[in-house]
Amino acid sequence: MHLPVKRLYKFAFLLILIAASAAAGAQVYVSPYGSDVNAGTKEQPKQSLQAALRQVRELRRLKDAATSAPIHIIMQEGSYALQEPVFVRAEDAGTIQSPTYIEAALGTKVTVSGGIMITGWKKTNGSTANLTSAALSNVWEAPLPETFKGGAGFRQLWINKTKATRAKWPNGGEMERIISWNKKDESCQIPKPPVSIKDISGIEMFIHQWWEIAMLRVRQMDVAGDSAKLLFKQPESRIQSEHPWPAPWISKETGNSAFYLSNAIEFLDEPGEWYLDKINRKIYYWPRDGEDLTTARVTAPLLENLVTIQGTINQLVSHIHFKNISFEHVGWNRPSLQGHVPHQAGMPMTEAYKLRPSGTPEKPSLDNQAWITRPGAAVTASFARAISFEGCRFEHIASTGLDYHMGIKDSKVMGSLFKDIGGTAILAGSFADEGMEIHLPYNPKDERMVADSITLTNNLVTDATNEDWGSVGIGLGYTRNSTIAHNDIENVNYSGISMGWGWSAQPNVMRNNKVFANKIHHFGKQNYDCAGIYTLSAQPGSLISENYIDSIYKAPYAHLPSHWFYLYTDEGSSHITIKDNWTATQKYLQNNNGPGNQWINNGPQVNESIRLKAGLQDSYKHLLKESTYKSIELPVNSEHEELVELVVPKGKLNLAQLRSFLRENKVDPNSIYQWKNRYVIFDKVQDLSVFQGKLKKAFPDVTVRPYYDMYYQFDRSRCDNKQTAGEWEHIMLTANLVTDTKKQKEYLNYHATQFDQWPEIAKGFCNAGFQRLVMFRNGRQLMLVISIPKGKTLDELNPKTTENNPRVDEWNKLMAQYQEGIEGTKKGEVWVFLKKVSSK
């Protein structure tokens, strides 16, 4: 064929354009306003991510020239409301030369949502059954969308960007205490609810137990007098009563397990609460101040998963990269269908029970067995390589945010936000396969199952674990060669980072993991037995280094108020190096560890530069504008001396034996105080509950009384002159509260509000030069410890508290009605002094 020169030039130019296009790779555009029959160009975009993925899949199947270079799926601005999850399969895999990028168009906000808008709100009428009169005049209602017809409904509701609260009792953050738990008939006795409930079919009990919680569906409530007996649905009833760890907490010293009930229309009695009436297909909500339901965006989750990246063991998904995408509004309905009884880190148990007698071939001391499943996740990936999420947002999610599960290799999460997450923000690795007992070391025959070389860097985790309080900020199970570095983790209810699984020092696949330069603060908001960084099992070559850990919340219902730590190597932790971590104090726990751990230079003495460099690096600090911890109105806890009383029934305590015991347990042997047959130890201990047990074993004839409840603390931070003395002396006194329980509550409330309502008291302590004043309680008995500068006396300093300060006299007269002497005091004697026992 002969072409004119002019046409020949045009043809050559067209060939050059085609070649350049192939070299650049393909671009497939998606828009909420597009159509899936469109060509996927910028001018004619697809409407769904699924259609765009299929178009790229076809390019790869047909070996189009564009697949020799990176391919970009560009999502244009807007919200993509999914009706079903997006699946990324092995056939979608890219290559090193031609990865697939799924990204927001430059400078735009792209949201992939599993939610449905709830519209048609109006003030409820006066005939709505079982609403209180106050609620009737404030509650709004809307019809349940047809999409939810016949389904499980939903457990979350967001008003604009704020999650509402399912109607509950007690209100707000308050909880009641259970009276008892009967494992034989699987029942729980609770105080009688304040309202009569007509229909209990949807009620759930949320119970706090040690390091976890449980969500139990109530099937029967029998009210008698001032209490009610609850029975629960299966399978959670059986699991809850059979498993021993964790179990409902029963303690006279620290209080029984806390709980609340939810999901009854009678509980809808304050702003911010909502209720779903499935029978009448209505949603009820009491708006908060400033919320206008005629204009508000009210969203309920339809989906429990937005994106599943799923390869096979023989054919991986690879080289898929998500950039600057927001994943929002994801539910999790398993608790509504099967209850939720997790073992640890949010992992739901499918079966669990106590071993009688104890012991398995792998672990002779094991006293229980348990099997778990995996919680749901907004985005999950299995059998994939070179997957990444960069600059993404995971928000308003009921369970796990992002889950790198099984067979994940060389994958990353970086520069992303995880906020308003019901469970764990990021999970990675196996936590025992389905059907595998959790205490067995994980050593699969096919190592392609193992998660390897996962990198989690420069992510902000905030307001996570807000539904399952026992979940964690970041959870690594059985992984190796993985790195968690420069993340900022805050406002979580349990531990910041948990690494490991299995409770065993036996060899497993874990090794060479690195937790480096993370900033973990304002954690442990609800559950203790926690730490900034927590480990389990053997992990040869693993390193925990240069992290900054500080500011644990003072959890209001912790089972053991002092059972928290900055660093915690738990059962079987072995061959791990813990080095150069900055922590506020050296409050660490090493519980039943295996061999080979190295602890090197951890604590407040670590170089200040390490503390300053931890957390988000400069390029990612813009994420900190999403921080939430400052909105939490809870005090921050701190390590303090613990107080344990020994009551000797007859004769004298063997002080030489006690001092030897204290030395063995790294407690000051000169920290003993005495009044008659009562001896008090006042010093820092690694773990008060363990210390209590050891004391009982060493002194079987002595009553051991730990004072877990430190209900009041004054220190120099409340003074104009905040300087403290170099050395202190402790003055210790004891008295009882009166038997009247109403007066006991009044007394405790006065102390809880003293700094606000009676500021003159703290001013008096400042004037007197008191360094610190702490008060402990065990039942009715109180212990007061006043710390003063060494060389001073209480007689010398105490009068200064009342100088030009008559309110202190008023306070002392007021408190006199609440106090009386302990057993053995003289008539009219209230506070008695314990003398420090001479070391001679």
Side-chain angles (χ1 to χ4, degrees), residues 285-338:
Y285 178 66
W286 186 330
R288 302 179 181 94
D289 288 343
E291 290 178 338
D292 180 357
L293 293 189
T294 63
T295 58
R297 292 180 60 86
V298 181
T299 311
L302 173 66
L303 299 185
E304 299 181 64
N305 170 248
L306 297 177
V307 177
T308 292
I309 301 168
Q310 182 66 58
T312 70
I313 197 167
N314 294 311
Q315 191 177 5
L316 302 182
V317 181
S318 64
H319 301 285
I320 306 288
H321 306 292
F322 289 81
K323 295 186 70 174
N324 303 323
I325 306 292
S326 293
F327 301 94
E328 297 185 5
H329 300 121
V330 183
W332 189 46
N333 284 326
R334 189 178 190 277
S336 295
L337 302 173
Q338 302 178 58

Side-chain angles (χ1 to χ4, degrees), residues 29-51:
Y29 284 85
V30 188
S31 167
Y33 312 104
S35 171
D36 284 349
V37 300
N38 284 347
T41 63
K42 189 173 184 179
E43 294 75 22
Q44 292 188 313
K46 298 286 187 183
Q47 186 180 44
S48 70
L49 178 56
Q50 295 96 315

Side-chain angles (χ1 to χ4, degrees), residues 547-550 566-567 580-588 600-611 639 684:
N547 299 284
Y548 165 36
I549 308 171
D550 195 10
Y566 295 116
L567 297 165
D580 294 334
N581 296 285
W582 192 100
T583 58
T585 68
Q586 293 179 335
K587 194 172 193 305
Y588 311 141
I600 305 169
N601 188 40
N602 301 287
Q605 79 286 351
V606 169
N607 193 290
E608 180 74 358
S609 64
I610 287 177
R611 185 179 71 84
E639 185 180 16
K684 291 181 180 179

Side-chain angles (χ1 to χ4, degrees), residues 519-639:
K519 182 177 181 180
I520 304 163
H521 58 107
H522 296 87
F523 63 98
K525 188 169 64 177
Q526 298 287 355
N527 288 16
Y528 278 4
D529 193 29
C530 68
I533 300 174
Y534 170 92
T535 69
L536 278 170
S537 299
Q539 304 189 41
S542 292
L543 175 68
I544 298 171
S545 182
E546 299 191 23
N547 299 284
Y548 165 36
I549 308 171
D550 195 10
S551 301
I552 182 167
Y553 285 113
K554 193 169 186 178
Y557 298 101
H559 67 298
L560 293 172
S562 296
H563 199 66
W564 59 268
F565 309 94
Y566 295 116
L567 297 165
Y568 185 171
T569 50
D570 203 1
E571 294 194 41
S573 293
S574 311
H575 307 293
I576 304 170
T577 298
I578 304 99
K579 180 181 179 181
D580 294 334
N581 296 285
W582 192 100
T583 58
T585 68
Q586 293 179 335
K587 194 172 193 305
Y588 311 141
L589 183 60
Q590 300 164 55
N591 178 49
N592 197 21
N593 287 182
N597 291 331
Q598 296 186 64
W599 291 76
I600 305 169
N601 188 40
N602 301 287
Q605 79 286 351
V606 169
N607 193 290
E608 180 74 358
S609 64
I610 287 177
R611 185 179 71 84
L612 296 175
K613 289 178 182 177
L616 301 177
Q617 294 174 298
D618 289 346
S619 298
Y620 301 93
K621 286 187 176 178
H622 63 275
L623 290 171
L624 293 176
K625 68 179 183 294
E626 304 286 351
S627 172
T628 62
Y629 78 90
K630 291 181 181 178
S631 67
I632 305 304
E633 296 180 357
L634 276 179
V636 169
N637 215 335
S638 59
E639 185 180 16

Side-chain angles (χ1 to χ4, degrees), residues 166-182:
R166 281 212 300 178
K168 64 187 284 286
W169 166 74
N171 284 332
E174 296 298 315
M175 300 176 79
E176 287 283 341
R177 301 275 189 177
I178 68 171
I179 297 170
S180 63
W181 194 282
N182 187 328

Side-chain angles (χ1 to χ4, degrees), residues 747-766:
Y747 171 87
L748 294 172
N749 185 61
Y750 271 120
H751 282 80
T753 60
Q754 185 205 77
F755 295 122
D756 293 326
Q757 303 297 324
W758 292 74
E760 298 85 355
I761 310 305
K763 182 180 178 182
F765 296 159
C766 294

